[in-house]
Amino acid sequence: FFRNIRRSLLKEGKTTNYLKYAIGEIILVVIGILIALNINNWNEGRKNTVKKENYLKALIVELKKDQNDIEYFTQELKEEHQIFDTLKARIAQSSYPLDTVYYIARHNFSPYCPRLSVLNNRTFQVLQSTGDLGLFESGIVDELYNLYKLEAQMLQGMDNNWADYRTTITDYTKNYNIDVSFSLMNKGKINDVIWENIDRDELATKFNAVAIAKQNYIRVCLYVEQLKQPIKDMIETLEKQLSEL
């Protein structure tokens, strides 16, 4: 259709009209390209919005799981600390503290310590590896970096103190049989013989080292409570972002 118009104008020698028509055709082409670009940009924007929405939901789910894990973990730590305080009071109030230490070490001591070895940062790692952090405002990216950096520091500190406690308790159990279900000799005559031949002064020293290592681990782990408020704030920020999409 347009080709026929051009031919007709050229045959009639209407050069001025032809030029006007050519300019108009160019303008139509440019308008068409701009419309196509806008549609493409809209499609890309919509795809990015959907992608960002999915990331936000995943981050929120992971952070809420961190909240629950930290809450449960700190509750266990506080229960262990309470047990320690009770045992410490028993020894302090005893008329025969070495006998009390002996009884506690043999019958009441549990080597168990709660662990929190990982927190949930898989979505953040994906954002980093894919370059999709660019979907988020720089302020939110900085907050995420700072939060996960703090989490990593907390976990590293806990791991270091766990390693110290594990070394101490391993050394302790080489000489003293602890009352745990998975021990081959936690009950019966052989267990009685082992404990009857123990030097109580030496036991008190070794047992105190174990208690110190365990309490130091618990003390360091309780710092994880410092993550509660930053995680809560981050969840609120992400939920606000999600509601605005």
Side-chain angles (χ1 to χ4, degrees):
F1 173 76
F2 289 115
R3 185 164 53 247
N4 289 334
I5 293 176
R6 288 197 300 271
R7 286 175 180 174
S8 175
L9 290 172
L10 286 173
K11 285 180 180 179
E12 295 174 5
K14 297 180 180 180
T15 305
T16 301
N17 289 338
Y18 175 77
L19 289 174
K20 290 179 181 178
Y21 163 79
I23 292 171
E25 189 173 332
I26 291 171
I27 291 172
L28 285 175
V29 171
V30 170
I31 290 173
I33 292 172
L34 290 174
I35 291 172
L37 286 173
N38 283 331
I39 292 173
N40 184 65
N41 289 339
W42 182 85
N43 284 333
E44 287 300 315
R46 182 57 192 159
K47 288 178 183 178
N48 287 336
T49 298
V50 171
K51 188 186 292 187
K52 183 178 180 180
E53 180 180 356
N54 291 333
Y55 279 132
L56 284 168
K57 289 178 179 178
L59 286 167
I60 291 168
V61 167
E62 289 181 353
L63 288 171
K64 286 185 175 180
K65 187 175 186 310
D66 283 348
Q67 275 185 323
N68 293 332
D69 290 346
I70 289 171
E71 188 63 37
Y72 182 75
F73 177 60
T74 54
Q75 183 60 39
E76 281 195 299
L77 290 171
K78 289 173 181 178
E79 289 173 2
E80 287 295 318
H81 185 67
Q82 182 61 46
I83 292 171
F84 171 82
D85 285 344
T86 301
L87 297 178
K88 185 177 180 180
R90 279 175 59 187
I91 295 170
Q93 296 165 10
S94 174
S95 300
Y96 304 97
L98 284 179
D99 291 342
T100 304
V101 170
Y102 173 88
Y103 188 89
I104 289 171
R106 182 174 178 180
H107 299 291
N108 303 136
F109 173 68
S110 169
Y112 170 74
C113 269
R115 297 285 317 273
L116 183 67
S117 55
V118 294
L119 288 168
N120 302 282
N121 62 354
R122 183 178 178 278
T123 300
F124 185 68
Q125 290 177 344
V126 171
L127 283 166
Q128 288 181 298
S129 63
T130 59
D132 285 338
L133 278 173
L135 295 171
F136 295 85
E137 292 80 355
S138 59
I140 291 178
V141 173
D142 290 341
E143 287 182 46
L144 287 169
Y145 266 121
N146 292 334
L147 175 59
Y148 288 118
K149 181 180 178 181
L150 182 58
E151 283 190 356
Q153 290 172 343
M154 291 283 185
L155 290 174
Q156 185 61 55
M158 287 189 284
D159 285 344
N160 291 341
N161 281 272
W162 169 254
D164 292 340
Y165 173 64
R166 184 178 57 194
T167 300
T168 305
I169 194 66
T170 299
D171 180 63
Y172 175 81
T173 55
K174 289 177 182 177
N175 299 296
Y176 307 104
N177 195 28
I178 55 178
D179 188 8
V180 290
S181 60
F182 50 83
S183 172
L184 290 174
M185 298 175 291
N186 65 317
K187 303 291 183 185
K189 291 182 179 180
I190 190 169
N191 185 60
D192 293 338
V193 170
I194 291 171
W195 279 97
E196 284 170 3
N197 294 315
I198 281 175
D199 183 310
R200 299 194 180 195
D201 289 331
E202 185 178 349
L203 169 64
T205 301
K206 292 283 189 179
F207 187 70
N208 188 52
V210 170
I212 290 172
K214 185 173 181 177
Q215 285 306 299
N216 193 48
Y217 168 73
I218 291 173
R219 178 185 60 81
V220 170
C221 288
L222 282 171
Y223 282 117
V224 79
E225 288 189 298
Q226 295 178 6
L227 288 172
K228 288 183 177 180
Q229 191 60 46
I231 289 175
K232 181 176 180 292
D233 293 342
M234 192 74 252
I235 290 173
E236 290 176 354
T237 298
L238 296 176
E239 286 179 336
K240 182 179 178 183
Q241 284 274 304
L242 188 60
S243 68
E244 292 174 352
L245 291 179

